[in-house]
Amino acid sequence: MRPRHEHWSLPENTTFKCFLRREKAFDFGWHYHAEYELVLITEGSGTRYVGTTVEPYRPGDLMLLGPDLPHTFSSVPYPTGMAEASVVQFRHDFLGADFFALPQFRPVQPLLDRSARGLLFPHAPEPARRLLTGLPRLVDSAAATVALLDVLNQLARDTDSTPLTGPGYAPTPDTEARRRIDDICRHLQQVHTRPVELGEIAAIAHMAPTSFSRFFHRTMGRTLTDYVNQLRVETACHLLTTTDLPVTEVAARSGFQNLSNFNRRFLRLKHMRPRDYRAAHHRGFHLPSAP
């Protein structure tokens, strides 16, 4: 139930990894690792979980995730498409311990520092996107290294990046606290569409409900109720854009037992009503209603 800690392994001819992840769908694989990770979504859409935040992702999304930041990308299979992302993983010292202290690369260090909360680049330069798309296909490791440095240099000068997770979150060095939070997040991802009781979740952390509520808020920067509602609203967004289910049925399948509460929570998080969200985001075709 805890996130998978990915261990570092490298090809023989380089000091960082780049690869194309292409699958029918991305499974929920909550994990973290010691490396920075650049992710460019090249095909498919779904939900990204980064730290405390649950949001949709779509083709063109470019993100930089800092070391030890728990994350995953989750999607469902589509009959005519794939889930695909170009991924680069590197450590801070992949070119030497003091590389980013060199005068010509000092602008990159603040970028790496800010990635501790994850960064989204909604208007990243097109040359950076092209370089990331092509990186997994480069055979020449020296050329790949130059391309990666070019991408980091461009992103360091991008003034439109936004944090992916809230200001209340920071990767905690407390191993036990991290284990508890990760167990809880994985469990909530599986059960949030049914009624969730505080006592049930507190028991996973082996804590009394009152102590757990304080612990969760302190660690995640939000209440358990707020986090569960965020999960439910994102599930509702998926149903609104991929099925023709009535809004009342979408609310019920997402875990909301009260339609007015669903509408209120949805409006607060998405700044529009569910029907308006469907109209604005509906794909150009109709999929069969969910079974």
Side-chain angles (χ1 to χ4, degrees):
M1 294 297 293
R2 66 192 60 179
R4 182 178 71 255
H5 181 263
E6 292 192 341
H7 298 283
W8 188 239
S9 61
L10 286 171
E12 292 183 357
N13 64 337
T14 186
T15 56
F16 69 97
K17 293 195 294 188
C18 55
F19 55 92
L20 188 69
R21 183 182 176 190
R22 182 173 174 83
E23 302 169 14
K24 285 288 186 182
F26 291 155
D27 293 330
F28 187 91
W30 192 233
H31 68 284
Y32 64 96
H33 42 71
E35 295 74 40
Y36 296 89
E37 181 169 296
L38 274 166
V39 182
L40 174 64
I41 303 296
T42 50
E43 188 176 343
S45 59
T47 304
R48 73 168 172 261
Y49 301 74
V50 178
T52 64
T53 305
V54 184
E55 293 178 325
Y57 71 81
R58 55 187 59 86
D61 280 2
L62 173 56
M63 294 145 283
L64 176 61
L65 309 175
D68 296 327
L69 179 61
H71 61 277
T72 191
F73 298 84
S74 178
S75 64
V76 296
Y78 289 104
T80 58
M82 297 286 289
E84 184 181 271
S86 184
V87 182
V88 181
Q89 295 176 338
F90 61 96
R91 290 192 170 179
H92 191 275
D93 61 353
F94 82 107
L95 291 174
D98 299 320
F99 184 83
F100 290 112
L102 296 173
Q104 60 268 48
F105 291 109
R106 280 178 188 158
V108 175
Q109 186 58 58
L111 170 75
L112 299 179
D113 292 340
R114 289 187 293 118
S115 73
R117 288 171 53 194
L119 292 172
L120 174 68
F121 300 88
H123 306 109
E126 188 57 34
R129 295 178 184 275
R130 287 198 300 269
L131 285 168
L132 278 175
T133 302
L135 255 174
R137 300 178 178 87
L138 285 177
V139 177
D140 186 329
S141 59
T145 303
V146 172
L148 173 56
L149 290 175
D150 195 350
V151 170
L152 292 174
N153 186 50
Q154 292 184 50
L155 296 183
R157 288 164 170 75
D158 189 307
T159 59
D160 293 331
S161 63
T162 57
L164 282 173
T165 193
Y169 175 84
T172 172
D174 186 333
T175 302
E176 179 61 21
R178 171 178 290 177
R179 184 194 64 77
R180 286 175 170 175
I181 286 295
D182 293 335
D183 284 353
I184 291 160
C185 289
R186 183 65 178 261
H187 182 73
L188 289 174
Q189 193 273 336
Q190 296 172 340
V191 305
H192 68 272
T193 57
R194 64 161 173 79
V196 176
E197 299 293 336
L198 173 61
E200 170 196 350
I201 308 304
I204 295 172
H206 305 288
M207 300 175 73
T210 302
S211 299
F212 170 76
S213 292
R214 291 195 296 266
F215 163 76
F216 190 89
H217 190 277
R218 183 176 66 251
T219 306
M220 297 288 279
R222 68 190 62 195
T223 66
L224 176 66
T225 298
D226 287 341
Y227 186 75
V228 170
N229 282 324
Q230 187 179 32
L231 290 173
R232 289 171 173 169
V233 166
E234 291 306 327
T235 296
C237 289
H238 173 73
L239 292 173
L240 287 167
T241 56
T242 59
T243 78
D244 292 318
L245 289 169
V247 171
T248 53
E249 182 68 14
V250 168
R253 294 193 182 204
S254 302
F256 290 96
Q257 297 178 301
N258 181 288
L259 183 60
S260 61
N261 183 41
F262 168 61
N263 287 327
R264 183 172 62 254
R265 297 285 186 178
F266 196 98
L267 180 62
R268 182 179 300 171
L269 288 173
K270 297 299 178 182
H271 310 293
M272 63 176 68
R273 299 186 184 281
R275 294 184 189 279
D276 297 330
Y277 184 92
R278 170 173 272 168
H281 295 82
H282 204 288
R283 307 177 193 279
F285 54 89
H286 294 285
L287 293 175
S289 296

